[in-house]
Each structure stands twice: as structure tokens, then as C-alpha cells.
Amino acid sequence: MAEPATATQAAAPAVPQLKDELDIVIPTIRNLDFLEMWRPFFQPYHLIIVQDGDPSKTIKVPDGFDYELYNRNDINRILGPKASCISFKDSACRCFGYMVSKKKYIFTIDDDCFVAKDPSGKAINALEQHIKNLLSPSTPFFFNTLYDPFRDGADFVRGYPFSLREGVPTAVSHGLWLNIPDYDAPTQLVKPLERNTRFVDAVLTIPKGTLFPMCGMNLAFDRELIGPAMYFGLMGDGQPIGRYDDMWAGWCTKVVCDHLGLGVKTGLPYIYHSKASNPFVNLRKEYKGIFWQEEIIPFFQQTVLPKDCTTVQKCYIELAKQVKEKLSKVDPYFDKLAEAMVTWIEAWDELNPTGSSVTNGKAK
């Protein structure tokens, strides 16, 4: 069975990449002791901690980390009435960290994710691999059977069009998990003891026009290219659905990336997911979503964005409009969600005015 690496097995890189260009965003309700394991890899970077739940509770962070911490009172103070778009009592609150960051790149991780080991027993620097994924192009228009042609030891195979070999900018790097798989509640219930021990040494671009189930526990993205689309929706307290926050963000983000000619990669890096959540609690959260997704996914598969949607913000506002028009028949919740999507963009633009470090969602 796969085991997590220990802090002593994790060796810090000689020169941390993008040290001043990347923030690590962590949603939490508990003390962040798990950071000790990640110290060799995370300590050079700035952390944004989004505290969920009771704002009067004190969250302890190990010494030596550079961080800022926001609780619900801070979110309400900074966003005012627009704070209604940020979920409460749900890890979807992490997207507030994306909004207040001023860095080009974001890496987000859950506090039950530990350092994994590769088949040789070496501790995996997940952040380093995400950076490699983001800094190399994607190939969404034609599938390469050797997967990512920009990795060491790989290339474009015979028959791959030379006109497409330059690739496109990578907006999203989606990592995977050893030990506890990211299963929905029904699958958890029928496979309670299943663990993922398979380490697949591969990174691939998700083809244009193909959706995927995005998991937010081991995820990195280029905030300048796609940040405004990384809204994790309305989940948790007061909402009829949970555990679909990252799914919603993934569907929206993929549609926007396809429209703007940006890439999404999945595969490496792995983290060690240490704790299985309660399947009965999960079922209560997911129940409506399990039915709704059978209509939501065809909606996204059929969504076409107009040519004048040339920025992420314009794409997202158009998506919100289509959500309201076409998904409100599924449940009134989607009217509320569509309005929150617009509020999210308004709040994003207030905190990230044009001319700041964010490029308004255009590929450079």
C-alpha cells in the first residue's frame, strides 16, 4: 500500500521556481500541522489561508511560513455585499484566495493531502511538477500518443502535424492522488476499502471539446490566463448542494479555455490523500448534483461562446447568462448561481482593476 513521505525524506529544491510569482492557497477549518511535511517545498512561497467556519476560532500555522489568513469576517469586510458569492462552511471558500492574490500563478491544496512518494521511494515535489506543466505548452487540438511531448524523453510522434507543434499556453495543471481516490459517495459506499496505489508517470493535455471532472485538492493554474473563471460556485451552508464546487469550476474553465485557445493538463503530480470523507455525509451533499449533472454536463458540452467574448470575464458573464437561460428549468438554484457568477466577476474586477498585475484574462 502507498505510504506518504516523511518530512525528512523531502529534499528542498536548490532554487525554488517562481518564488515571487506564485501563491499557495489553502482552505481549512483546523490547525495546519500538515505543512511540516511540506516545509521543504512550500516554505519559500507565500501562503494564502482561507479559514472556513467559525471566524472566532484561532488557526495555528507552523513557524517559519510567510502567510496571510482570511476568515469570514475578513471576506465580509473586503467584499461587502458581494461576499454573498463566497461559499460558507465549504472548501469552495478557497476561491476567495484566488481573488485577493496578486501573483501570476496559484497552487491550491487541501489540508489532508500529504507528500507522496514515487515508485523509487523519492518524495514528490508536487509544486515543482505543476510549475513544469504550466510553463510548457499544451496540445489540445491533436492528441499525441506519447502524451506530453514537452517532457524529457518524449516528443511528437510520426504523423503529428508540424503546424500544431508549437502548442498553446497552459492555463491549468490538474494533479492526481495516491491512497484515497476522489470518488463520489455511491462509489465510496460500494468500494469502502479501495485505495489507489497505481503511479502512472504521465501528463497529457485534455483535448479541446472534452470536459473532465476537476478536483480542487491538488490543482495549479495561471491566474493571469484563467483566474476569473476559477469560481467554485455556491456550495455548503444555505445551499442545496455540496462537493460540486471544483466540478463546476472545471466545467466552466474548460469551456473558456477551449474558446480562448488555452490548454489544460492532467496527470502528474501525485499527492497522498490521507483521509476518506464520510460517504453518508457526502451523499447528503451530492444527492441533487448526481441527478443534476446529467443535464449540466450536456449543457456545457453544447455551450458555444460568441466570438466577441475575447476575455475570461466576458466569457464568464456569457456563461452566467446561458446558465440562467438554460439551467433554471432544472432547479431555481441555478438562477441564484448565475447571479453569483456575475457578482464574482464584479468583485474580481474591483480587487483586480485593469492595468494591475492581472492581464484581464488574455493570453500574452
Side-chain angles (χ1 to χ4, degrees):
M1 179 178 288
E3 296 289 341
T6 63
T8 55
Q9 291 174 313
V15 180
Q17 284 186 287
L18 305 179
K19 184 173 74 72
D20 300 319
E21 299 179 67
L22 183 145
D23 279 334
I24 300 173
V25 175
I26 305 168
T28 194
I29 57 171
R30 58 182 62 88
N31 295 335
L32 294 180
D33 300 328
F34 91 115
L35 284 173
E36 287 295 352
M37 177 177 290
W38 288 101
R39 185 182 292 276
F41 303 142
F42 287 3
Q43 191 164 359
Y45 296 88
H46 179 68
L47 312 182
I48 298 177
I49 300 162
V50 184
Q51 178 180 341
D52 195 18
D54 183 1
S56 67
K57 181 180 178 181
T58 299
I59 299 291
K60 295 181 180 178
V61 181
D63 292 339
F65 285 92
D66 172 37
Y67 71 93
E68 52 192 300
L69 187 150
Y70 298 93
N71 61 31
R72 192 69 203 188
N73 293 338
D74 298 315
I75 294 171
N76 292 338
R77 173 178 51 82
I78 292 168
L79 296 184
K82 293 184 176 65
S84 62
C85 72
I86 304 298
S87 298
F88 184 55
K89 294 185 178 178
D90 193 280
S91 64
C93 67
R94 77 177 78 221
C95 62
F96 177 77
Y98 310 160
M99 182 185 286
V100 296
S101 172
K102 301 303 176 188
K103 304 291 178 62
K104 177 174 170 57
Y105 300 100
I106 295 287
F107 170 54
T108 186
I109 186 171
D110 285 3
D111 59 17
D112 63 350
C113 294
F114 299 163
V115 178
K117 291 186 288 189
D118 68 17
S120 73
K122 181 182 178 183
I124 298 168
N125 183 348
L127 182 52
E128 182 178 54
Q129 180 63 50
H130 275 301
I131 290 170
K132 288 180 180 178
N133 293 348
L134 289 170
L135 293 184
S136 61
S138 292
T139 53
F141 305 124
F142 200 90
F143 189 78
N144 190 52
T145 51
L146 273 182
Y147 306 122
D148 189 344
F150 298 99
R151 289 189 70 199
D152 291 341
D155 210 323
F156 293 99
V157 297
R158 181 170 56 89
Y160 199 99
F162 283 88
S163 59
L164 296 177
R165 294 191 182 194
E166 184 178 348
V168 302
T170 300
V172 180
S173 172
H174 177 257
L176 300 175
W177 344 268
L178 293 173
N179 196 40
I180 306 293
D182 186 30
Y183 285 162
D184 53 38
T187 309
Q188 281 184 291
L189 286 167
V190 298
K191 295 183 173 182
L193 301 180
E194 184 156 292
R195 299 294 181 265
N196 181 34
T197 59
R198 296 193 321 144
F199 181 96
V200 180
D201 187 11
V203 178
L204 61 152
T205 298
I206 300 173
K208 181 179 180 180
T210 300
L211 297 175
F212 74 111
M214 188 176 83
C215 173
M217 74 172 86
N218 175 23
L219 178 73
F221 60 92
D222 187 322
R223 185 174 173 274
E224 293 187 357
L225 289 182
I226 201 62
M230 276 289 179
Y231 175 47
F232 275 47
L234 286 178
M235 303 284 154
D237 193 50
Q239 308 303 333
I241 186 175
R243 284 174 56 84
Y244 273 85
D245 51 333
D246 41 8
M247 298 294 127
W248 184 261
W251 297 327
C252 292
T253 294
K254 187 59 165 63
V255 168
V256 173
C257 282
D258 285 352
H259 176 76
L260 294 178
L262 302 171
V264 177
K265 292 183 179 181
T266 188
L268 300 179
Y270 282 91
I271 50 84
Y272 182 92
H273 186 206
S274 66
K275 186 176 67 176
S277 48
N278 186 310
F280 297 100
V281 173
N282 290 346
L283 185 59
R284 191 162 58 244
K285 293 178 179 179
E286 296 172 3
Y287 174 73
K288 290 190 176 181
I290 290 170
F291 290 98
W292 290 351
Q293 70 183 13
E294 301 305 319
E295 297 188 62
I296 295 170
I297 292 171
F299 160 76
F300 280 108
Q301 289 173 326
Q302 296 160 18
T303 295
V304 177
L305 299 175
K307 288 184 179 180
D308 62 356
C309 289
T310 55
T311 68
V312 176
Q313 282 91 331
K314 288 180 180 179
C315 290
Y316 206 72
I317 293 295
E318 174 63 26
L319 260 182
K321 175 185 171 186
Q322 295 192 31
V323 166
K324 194 173 188 68
E325 289 176 353
K326 299 177 182 178
L327 290 181
S328 59
K329 62 179 174 56
V330 175
D331 192 273
Y333 165 76
F334 290 98
D335 279 328
K336 188 176 180 182
L337 178 55
E339 292 169 5
M341 292 168 70
V342 174
T343 302
W344 160 265
I345 293 296
E346 291 172 351
W348 181 284
D349 286 345
E350 283 184 13
L351 293 184
N352 301 279
T354 304
S356 68
S357 60
V358 176
T359 61
N360 204 32
K362 292 180 181 177
K364 290 182 178 178

